[in-house]
Amino acid sequence: MSDSVKLTYQNKTFEFPIVEGSENEKGIDIKTLRAQTGLITFDPGFKNTGSCNSGITFLNGEEGILRYRGYSIEELCEKASFIEVAFLLIFGELPTEKELALFNNEIREDSLVDEDLKSILKSFPKAAHPMGVLSSLTSGLIAFNPNSVDVESEAEMREAIIMLIAKFPILASWTHRKVKGLPLNYANTALSYVENVAHMMFKLPHQDFKPSPVLVGALNKLLILHADHEQNCSTSTVRIVGSSQAGLFASVSAGVSALWGPLHGGANQAVIEMLESIQADGGDTKKYMAKAKDKNDPFRLMGFGHRVYKNFDPRARIIKKAADEVLQELGINDPVLEIAKSLEQEALRDPYFIDRKLYPNVDFYSGIIYRALGIPTEMFTVMFALGRLPGWIAQWLEMRKNNEPIGRPRQIYTGKQNRSI
Ligand code: ACO
């Protein structure tokens, strides 16, 4: 007999089955809880709630394991390109040579957006945050590509996926060019996907631009490491928006907004801003360590801690190595990065951080690399979004294919009881 749990409430016992995943993760199946008992679960932040079955990403925060479709993140970073990883996440297997060539060609052919999108971009003030602009432009794509997608049709789904993968980096780079007051670039079909990201962001009209292997190698790794992370805030947003049968572009646009926040993707920007403010205040890292530990002070050490990793984030290990390589190869000597190193070393030795299992997370090091590569701080979260795109698409597709019900949590009402004016 399979496992179950018994719940006793008001002298009645109810039984709920245990569901088990392929890596032995277990959960209580409470689908009938309310119907049977009249109770709901109370779990703010969904810390103990599994919202779906998923075959895309496996992560074990206690042991620091992260795998996409069964492949370890370490091996993928070593041996695969970002586009191969995107294909793997979305379609379930790594592409053959032929499949990869076709996928790349389809993306290249779709690497254009309607010129009228430029007028939307133009109407934003220059000071607008690139994430807000990216979310709006992604939403804007719907208006220019209005066909609704039949998820049962493989051809239609593929077309929508290719379109989004091809056009998203154009929009992302335009958010940067807008802030900088630079002309907008399109993709160059002679370049790879990752080279094109660099080309569209950095190519100046009066200069040749050849993305350096250090830049492309580091970007490739960073994009792979960010490509999926199971049911995090933005991915859950994409799934929940899509569960109302809103389209792929609309769902991804919502994901961009969710990623923007400083407790999620915005943390990489927050890390550098924190380091800069520590520097401006004299560079006393000990003072800021004390502030982070003081319960009466709202200050938190940005880039430390993670909802699921209670061990070293495996992505942070890879990025730390990449960050060291990039800094060494580019010969960068940056006082802000010195502050980062001191904080990292102090936190790793400090009982407050050790006891709470607060390790540097992926954003701590990604911010450092982006800064070293010359990517402006306000673009960091946009870089994260570029990496996360295949994950959002894969999760959206899985949700629709599994015919998941509309996401609609319940609540415990704590407001006023019935009253009259
Ligand atoms: N600095 C100081 N103390 C911290 C930090 C931090 N960065 N993070 C957690 N703590 C403390 C909390 O105060 C709490 O202490 P207590 O038990 O004495 O009350 C304890 O550690 C547990 O913290 P929670 O907030 O309950 O942990 P949770 O899992 O809810 O939050 C989060 C995780 C949001 C990432 C948190 O660690 C944080 O705010 N970190 C800084 C922001 C950040 O780097 N975010 C990026 C996450 S990675 C990503 O999104 C890709």
Side-chain angles (χ1 to χ4, degrees):
M1 218 191 97
S2 55
D3 274 354
S4 64
V5 294
K6 290 197 174 83
L7 173 75
T8 304
Y9 174 60
Q10 292 181 338
N11 296 326
K12 274 173 93 180
T13 299
F14 306 91
E15 197 165 348
F16 298 95
I18 295 288
V19 285
E20 190 168 346
S22 49
E23 290 282 353
N24 308 322
E25 286 178 310
K26 289 183 180 166
I28 310 167
D29 179 347
I30 55 148
K31 283 203 285 288
T32 62
L33 177 72
R34 188 163 176 274
Q36 285 197 62
T37 65
L39 297 170
I40 60 167
T41 56
F42 180 62
D43 187 21
F46 311 123
K47 290 191 180 193
N48 305 283
T49 298
S51 61
C52 57
N53 283 320
S54 181
I56 301 171
T57 290
F58 173 67
L59 114 70
N60 179 327
E62 279 73 31
E63 290 177 31
I65 296 172
L66 176 61
R67 296 188 203 124
Y68 299 158
R69 303 274 188 196
Y71 296 105
S72 79
I73 193 73
E74 289 81 7
E75 193 177 11
L76 289 171
C77 270
E78 192 78 12
K79 299 181 185 162
S81 70
F82 174 61
I83 277 299
E84 286 172 295
V85 170
F87 189 99
L88 169 73
L89 285 166
I90 297 167
F91 301 113
E93 295 295 338
L94 282 165
T96 61
E97 233 172 85
K98 216 169 132 192
E99 285 169 333
L100 181 62
L102 176 67
F103 193 50
N104 271 322
N105 275 344
E106 288 172 312
I107 292 172
R108 284 197 182 107
E109 272 174 28
D110 243 334
S111 292
L112 275 176
V113 297
D114 195 296
E115 285 297 290
D116 282 348
L117 266 170
K118 287 182 178 167
S119 42
I120 301 182
L121 182 73
K122 208 166 167 220
S123 59
F124 282 102
K126 244 190 181 165
H129 193 284
M131 283 299 275
V133 179
L134 181 60
S135 171
S136 306
L137 292 182
T138 309
S139 212
L141 273 183
I142 309 161
F144 294 94
N145 304 278
N147 291 344
S148 66
V149 177
D150 173 6
V151 283
E152 301 301 325
S153 156
E154 250 177 60
E156 279 189 33
M157 264 327 303
R158 189 175 173 103
E159 201 183 320
I161 290 166
I162 300 279
M163 213 185 265
L164 194 51
I165 295 181
K167 297 181 193 315
F168 197 69
I170 301 174
L171 305 181
S173 74
W174 282 7
T175 65
H176 168 61
R177 309 288 289 193
K178 160 90 190 180
V179 172
K180 296 280 165 197
L182 291 166
L184 308 177
N185 285 333
Y186 273 106
N188 173 348
T189 52
L191 300 176
S192 73
Y193 190 84
V194 174
E195 285 170 333
N196 258 318
V197 168
H199 160 82
M200 289 189 284
M201 273 181 66
F202 297 125
K203 163 90 176 80
L204 297 176
H206 59 304
Q207 282 173 11
D208 282 343
F209 177 75
K210 177 107 190 59
S212 81
V214 180
L215 174 81
V216 174
L219 272 185
N220 194 57
K221 268 197 187 119
L222 280 161
L223 295 175
I224 292 176
L225 288 172
H226 285 92
D228 196 44
H229 211 233
E230 52 119 296
Q231 308 312 318
N232 56 81
C233 176
S234 58
T235 300
S236 299
T237 301
V238 168
R239 282 184 92 122
I240 211 161
V241 172
S243 76
S244 74
Q245 303 200 351
L248 177 62
F249 297 178
S251 307
V252 165
S253 158
V256 173
S257 297
L259 188 71
W260 187 358
L263 296 190
H264 189 16
N268 51 20
Q269 173 172 348
V271 168
I272 295 297
E273 286 168 354
M274 173 191 76
L275 296 173
E276 282 171 346
S277 69
I278 297 177
Q279 186 201 21
D281 189 28
D284 183 355
T285 50
K286 296 213 164 42
K287 173 175 161 189
Y288 283 85
M289 287 292 290
K291 273 165 76 64
K293 295 187 279 184
D294 179 356
K295 290 290 159 208
N296 298 316
D297 190 324
F299 177 78
R300 276 192 168 194
L301 214 48
M302 299 313 288
F304 281 78
H306 197 278
R307 171 56 63 80
V308 276
Y309 291 117
K310 303 303 173 193
N311 197 326
F312 219 95
D313 178 341
R315 302 169 301 171
R317 262 187 228 287
I318 300 171
I319 292 205
K320 179 177 162 50
K321 191 161 165 265
D324 290 343
E325 282 164 14
V326 166
L327 295 184
Q328 205 181 0
E329 278 197 54
L330 299 179
I332 283 172
N333 199 350
D334 182 345
V336 163
L337 302 182
E338 290 307 316
I339 293 175
K341 277 190 191 154
S342 308
L343 279 180
E344 178 203 26
Q345 280 156 19
E346 285 168 37
L348 289 174
R349 282 196 306 259
D350 191 300
Y352 173 96
F353 286 84
I354 296 170
D355 292 349
R356 288 170 181 74
K357 300 190 164 70
L358 299 170
Y359 295 93
N361 60 44
V362 66
D363 291 314
F364 187 71
Y365 300 108
S366 65
I368 291 173
I369 299 191
Y370 291 141
R371 182 179 167 96
L373 294 178
I375 295 172
T377 313
E378 67 279 3
M379 278 298 289
F380 289 4
T381 317
V382 170
M383 300 308 295
F384 189 158
L386 271 172
R388 184 52 54 87
L389 181 68
W392 286 333
I393 295 173
Q395 300 270 354
W396 185 92
L397 192 58
E398 182 182 69
M399 179 273 308
R400 290 299 306 272
K401 283 192 163 166
N402 288 351
N403 255 325
E404 280 172 21
I406 185 165
R408 202 313 187 176
R410 290 198 170 255
Q411 63 170 12
I412 302 288
Y413 177 68
T414 57
K416 300 267 188 259
Q417 290 190 321
N418 189 19
R419 55 179 176 164
S420 13
I421 297 165

